[in-house]
């Protein structure tokens, strides 16, 4: 969304209000004006008037009190119901997340990618395949269906709570096998080839920018 806004408003000063856990993803981006946690924003916010307010996820009524010359997104536009139903009620919509969030911001997605600012600490190992699986039962599916011939190049990605340490581990690999959506997004943002194991149907499409493959996992593997 940052990229779309900056194309449309060349001198935009963009401030984000996000969950506290998401602050590390936004803080390194020097193109942003300010990044607040929700607590910080509502504590410091007084009567500042913005040119544009975009609500991409705050479903509380408090967001309606933000003063702006123009508003769009959840709570401001009745046409957003179908996006709400997709994201929060799992009602299928033939759009990917980029398209949904751009429409909530009253823009059209034109192939813009992620805007995550990350500086690699390690070089990628040639041909190393990183396994990041939340459901341990999927190991049989990986062994039988993905034809990963050289097991010496397989590497179990260790769990890291810190998002940048997680990115460091993902970046060590040439490709990633995962059933986790957050890992998928990070890996695609880092330009890794991703094999995504779709255990459950998703209400939205997955965009990998031509650098991945989706495997629908039969129930017998997911529950074995």
């Amino acid at each position: 969304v940052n990229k779309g806004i900056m194309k449309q408003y060349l001198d935009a000063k963009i401030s984000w209000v996000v969950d506290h856990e998401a602050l590390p993803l936004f803080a390194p981006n020097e193109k942003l004006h300010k990044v607040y946690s929700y607590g910080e924003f509502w504590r410091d916010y007084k009567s500042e008037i913005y040119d544009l307010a975009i609500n991409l996820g705050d479903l509380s009524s408090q967001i309606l009190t933000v003063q702006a010359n123009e508003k769009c997104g959840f709570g401001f536009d009745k046409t957003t119901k179908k996006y709400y139903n997709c994201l929060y009620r799992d009602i299928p919509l033939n759009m990917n997340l980029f398209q949904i969030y751009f429409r909530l911001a009253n823009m059209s997605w034109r192939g813009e990618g992620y805007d995550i600012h990350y500086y690699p600490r390690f070089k990628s190992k040639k041909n190393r395949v990183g396994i990041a699986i939340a459901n341990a039962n999927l190991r049989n599916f990986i062994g039988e269906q993905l034809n990963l011939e050289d097991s010496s190049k397989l590497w179990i990605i260790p769990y890291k709570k810190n998002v940048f340490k997680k990115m460091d581990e993902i970046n060590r690999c040439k490709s990633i096998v995962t059933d986790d959506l957050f890992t998928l997004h990070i890996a695609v943002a880092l330009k890794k080839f991703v094999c995504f194991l779709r255990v459950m149907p998703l209400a939205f499409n997955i965009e990998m920018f031509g650098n991945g493959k989706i495997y629908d996992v039969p129930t017998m593997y997911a529950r074995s």
Side-chain angles (χ1 to χ4, degrees), residues 74-87:
F74 292 127
F76 301 136
D77 186 346
K78 293 181 180 179
T79 65
T80 62
K81 184 177 180 180
K82 61 182 178 181
Y83 308 124
Y84 172 87
N85 287 339
C86 175
L87 295 175

Side-chain angles (χ1 to χ4, degrees), residues 51-83:
D51 294 304
L52 173 63
I54 303 170
N55 182 20
L56 300 180
D58 189 342
L59 303 180
S60 69
S61 59
Q62 193 172 24
I63 193 67
L64 302 178
T65 66
V66 171
Q67 298 186 66
N69 297 324
E70 183 183 350
K71 301 179 181 181
C72 58
F74 292 127
F76 301 136
D77 186 346
K78 293 181 180 179
T79 65
T80 62
K81 184 177 180 180
K82 61 182 178 181
Y83 308 124

Side-chain angles (χ1 to χ4, degrees), residues 141-185:
F141 178 83
I142 293 172
E144 295 175 17
Q145 303 295 325
L146 267 62
N147 298 320
L148 302 176
E149 297 176 358
D150 188 352
S151 60
S152 66
K153 295 177 181 178
L154 300 182
W155 187 61
I156 304 299
I157 295 177
Y159 171 78
K160 299 290 182 180
K161 186 175 182 180
N162 180 284
V163 65
F164 289 110
K165 289 183 178 180
K166 184 179 183 71
M167 293 172 78
D168 286 337
E169 300 298 341
I170 291 173
N171 195 57
R172 292 175 184 265
C173 307
K174 191 72 174 179
S175 57
I176 300 294
V177 179
T178 187
D179 61 340
D180 176 62
L181 274 174
F182 182 71
T183 301
L184 162 74
H185 290 303

Side-chain angles (χ1 to χ4, degrees), residues 29-116:
N29 192 332
E30 65 277 1
K31 293 183 293 184
L32 300 181
H33 179 56
K34 291 182 180 179
V35 181
Y36 302 93
S37 68
Y38 283 111
E40 291 170 335
F41 181 75
W42 293 118
R43 184 185 65 231
D44 298 339
Y45 175 72
K46 298 293 186 285
S47 58
E48 184 174 357
I49 299 177
Y50 294 92
D51 294 304
L52 173 63
I54 303 170
N55 182 20
L56 300 180
D58 189 342
L59 303 180
S60 69
S61 59
Q62 193 172 24
I63 193 67
L64 302 178
T65 66
V66 171
Q67 298 186 66
N69 297 324
E70 183 183 350
K71 301 179 181 181
C72 58
F74 292 127
F76 301 136
D77 186 346
K78 293 181 180 179
T79 65
T80 62
K81 184 177 180 180
K82 61 182 178 181
Y83 308 124
Y84 172 87
N85 287 339
C86 175
L87 295 175
Y88 298 102
R89 293 180 176 172
D90 292 326
I91 297 178
L93 185 64
N94 189 26
M95 297 174 71
N96 64 44
L97 290 177
F98 294 95
Q99 292 170 316
I100 291 172
Y101 285 118
F102 267 70
R103 289 310 305 153
L104 286 169
N106 203 22
M107 298 184 293
S108 295
W109 180 62
R110 302 186 185 283
E112 292 87 351
Y114 297 89
D115 190 29
I116 296 176

